[in-house]
mmCIF file of all heavy atoms in Angstrom:
data_model
loop_
_atom_site.group_PDB
_atom_site.id
_atom_site.type_symbol
_atom_site.label_atom_id
_atom_site.label_comp_id
_atom_site.label_asym_id
_atom_site.label_seq_id
_atom_site.Cartn_x
_atom_site.Cartn_y
_atom_site.Cartn_z
ATOM 1 N N ARG A 208 -4.013 -25.377 -12.913
ATOM 2 C CA ARG A 208 -2.699 -25.002 -12.156
ATOM 3 C C ARG A 208 -2.276 -26.165 -11.246
ATOM 4 O O ARG A 208 -1.148 -26.567 -11.188
ATOM 5 C CB ARG A 208 -2.921 -23.708 -11.471
ATOM 6 C CG ARG A 208 -2.067 -22.679 -12.085
ATOM 7 C CD ARG A 208 -2.414 -21.327 -11.537
ATOM 8 N NE ARG A 208 -1.544 -21.006 -10.407
ATOM 9 C CZ ARG A 208 -1.758 -19.758 -9.768
ATOM 10 N NH1 ARG A 208 -2.694 -18.996 -10.115
ATOM 11 N NH2 ARG A 208 -0.958 -19.511 -8.730
ATOM 12 N N LEU A 209 -3.254 -26.703 -10.453
ATOM 13 C CA LEU A 209 -2.962 -27.682 -9.491
ATOM 14 C C LEU A 209 -2.582 -28.924 -10.250
ATOM 15 O O LEU A 209 -1.624 -29.712 -9.882
ATOM 16 C CB LEU A 209 -4.158 -27.948 -8.609
ATOM 17 C CG LEU A 209 -4.492 -26.846 -7.624
ATOM 18 C CD1 LEU A 209 -5.727 -27.102 -6.788
ATOM 19 C CD2 LEU A 209 -3.300 -26.671 -6.592
ATOM 20 N N HIS A 210 -3.200 -29.253 -11.378
ATOM 21 C CA HIS A 210 -2.845 -30.435 -12.191
ATOM 22 C C HIS A 210 -1.418 -30.296 -12.751
ATOM 23 O O HIS A 210 -0.600 -31.311 -12.768
ATOM 24 C CB HIS A 210 -3.802 -30.563 -13.411
ATOM 25 C CG HIS A 210 -5.035 -31.354 -13.110
ATOM 26 N ND1 HIS A 210 -4.964 -32.671 -12.616
ATOM 27 C CD2 HIS A 210 -6.374 -31.081 -13.144
ATOM 28 C CE1 HIS A 210 -6.139 -33.147 -12.287
ATOM 29 N NE2 HIS A 210 -7.051 -32.172 -12.652
ATOM 30 N N HIS A 211 -1.072 -29.114 -13.138
ATOM 31 C CA HIS A 211 0.294 -28.973 -13.688
ATOM 32 C C HIS A 211 1.399 -28.523 -12.747
ATOM 33 O O HIS A 211 2.511 -28.338 -13.091
ATOM 34 C CB HIS A 211 0.239 -27.902 -14.869
ATOM 35 C CG HIS A 211 -0.618 -28.495 -16.017
ATOM 36 N ND1 HIS A 211 -1.838 -28.108 -16.270
ATOM 37 C CD2 HIS A 211 -0.372 -29.440 -16.886
ATOM 38 C CE1 HIS A 211 -2.367 -28.727 -17.364
ATOM 39 N NE2 HIS A 211 -1.453 -29.632 -17.700
ATOM 40 N N GLY A 212 0.936 -28.284 -11.465
ATOM 41 C CA GLY A 212 1.920 -27.850 -10.504
ATOM 42 C C GLY A 212 2.932 -28.885 -10.103
ATOM 43 O O GLY A 212 2.810 -30.057 -10.536
ATOM 44 N N ARG A 213 3.944 -28.412 -9.497
ATOM 45 C CA ARG A 213 5.066 -29.402 -9.086
ATOM 46 C C ARG A 213 4.516 -30.449 -8.303
ATOM 47 O O ARG A 213 3.792 -30.219 -7.338
ATOM 48 C CB ARG A 213 6.104 -28.539 -8.301
ATOM 49 C CG ARG A 213 7.425 -29.247 -8.134
ATOM 50 C CD ARG A 213 8.584 -28.154 -7.918
ATOM 51 N NE ARG A 213 8.334 -27.095 -7.087
ATOM 52 C CZ ARG A 213 8.348 -27.206 -5.726
ATOM 53 N NH1 ARG A 213 8.641 -28.346 -5.122
ATOM 54 N NH2 ARG A 213 8.146 -26.112 -4.966
ATOM 55 N N LYS A 214 4.896 -31.644 -8.676
ATOM 56 C CA LYS A 214 4.259 -32.892 -8.001
ATOM 57 C C LYS A 214 4.889 -33.184 -6.655
ATOM 58 O O LYS A 214 4.337 -33.836 -5.775
ATOM 59 C CB LYS A 214 4.449 -34.155 -8.951
ATOM 60 C CG LYS A 214 3.678 -34.006 -10.237
ATOM 61 C CD LYS A 214 2.233 -34.103 -9.982
ATOM 62 C CE LYS A 214 1.449 -33.845 -11.412
ATOM 63 N NZ LYS A 214 1.330 -32.503 -11.865
ATOM 64 N N ASP A 215 6.126 -32.615 -6.444
ATOM 65 C CA ASP A 215 6.835 -32.905 -5.149
ATOM 66 C C ASP A 215 6.489 -31.985 -4.074
ATOM 67 O O ASP A 215 7.115 -31.940 -2.978
ATOM 68 C CB ASP A 215 8.344 -33.012 -5.449
ATOM 69 C CG ASP A 215 8.902 -31.637 -5.851
ATOM 70 O OD1 ASP A 215 8.037 -30.773 -6.105
ATOM 71 O OD2 ASP A 215 10.071 -31.518 -5.947
ATOM 72 N N LYS A 216 5.426 -31.167 -4.246
ATOM 73 C CA LYS A 216 5.020 -30.200 -3.132
ATOM 74 C C LYS A 216 4.347 -30.972 -2.002
ATOM 75 O O LYS A 216 3.281 -31.635 -2.259
ATOM 76 C CB LYS A 216 4.118 -29.193 -3.627
ATOM 77 C CG LYS A 216 4.853 -28.029 -4.392
ATOM 78 C CD LYS A 216 3.982 -26.849 -4.468
ATOM 79 C CE LYS A 216 4.764 -25.636 -5.138
ATOM 80 N NZ LYS A 216 4.162 -24.410 -4.935
ATOM 81 N N ALA A 217 4.868 -30.858 -0.817
ATOM 82 C CA ALA A 217 4.202 -31.477 0.339
ATOM 83 C C ALA A 217 2.949 -30.735 0.739
ATOM 84 O O ALA A 217 1.883 -31.419 0.893
ATOM 85 C CB ALA A 217 5.208 -31.579 1.441
ATOM 86 N N SER A 218 2.996 -29.489 0.784
ATOM 87 C CA SER A 218 1.833 -28.731 1.215
ATOM 88 C C SER A 218 1.377 -27.708 0.171
ATOM 89 O O SER A 218 2.240 -27.316 -0.668
ATOM 90 C CB SER A 218 2.069 -27.901 2.530
ATOM 91 O OG SER A 218 3.120 -26.953 2.220
ATOM 92 N N LYS A 219 0.164 -27.385 0.205
ATOM 93 C CA LYS A 219 -0.417 -26.347 -0.777
ATOM 94 C C LYS A 219 -1.334 -25.432 0.035
ATOM 95 O O LYS A 219 -2.172 -26.008 0.763
ATOM 96 C CB LYS A 219 -1.182 -26.960 -1.886
ATOM 97 C CG LYS A 219 -0.293 -27.760 -2.871
ATOM 98 C CD LYS A 219 -1.137 -28.259 -4.025
ATOM 99 C CE LYS A 219 -0.329 -29.074 -4.891
ATOM 100 N NZ LYS A 219 0.092 -30.407 -4.225
ATOM 101 N N ILE A 220 -1.197 -24.185 -0.234
ATOM 102 C CA ILE A 220 -2.148 -23.243 0.521
ATOM 103 C C ILE A 220 -2.822 -22.329 -0.589
ATOM 104 O O ILE A 220 -2.174 -21.742 -1.362
ATOM 105 C CB ILE A 220 -1.332 -22.264 1.439
ATOM 106 C CG1 ILE A 220 -0.457 -22.974 2.435
ATOM 107 C CG2 ILE A 220 -2.252 -21.260 2.033
ATOM 108 C CD1 ILE A 220 -1.164 -23.445 3.683
ATOM 109 N N ILE A 221 -4.104 -22.358 -0.487
ATOM 110 C CA ILE A 221 -4.910 -21.520 -1.295
ATOM 111 C C ILE A 221 -5.593 -20.428 -0.476
ATOM 112 O O ILE A 221 -6.306 -20.775 0.443
ATOM 113 C CB ILE A 221 -5.929 -22.237 -2.195
ATOM 114 C CG1 ILE A 221 -5.180 -23.289 -3.086
ATOM 115 C CG2 ILE A 221 -6.769 -21.311 -2.903
ATOM 116 C CD1 ILE A 221 -6.077 -24.261 -3.726
ATOM 117 N N VAL A 222 -5.286 -19.128 -0.789
ATOM 118 C CA VAL A 222 -5.965 -18.126 0.165
ATOM 119 C C VAL A 222 -7.110 -17.516 -0.648
ATOM 120 O O VAL A 222 -7.016 -17.100 -1.871
ATOM 121 C CB VAL A 222 -4.918 -16.963 0.380
ATOM 122 C CG1 VAL A 222 -5.576 -15.835 1.135
ATOM 123 C CG2 VAL A 222 -3.765 -17.518 1.267
#
Side-chain angles (χ1 to χ4, degrees):
R208 248 167 92 181
L209 289 173
H210 272 303
H211 293 103
R213 194 154 44 81
K214 298 287 176 286
D215 61 352
K216 277 199 177 196
S218 64
K219 294 184 184 64
I220 304 277
I221 297 172
V222 175

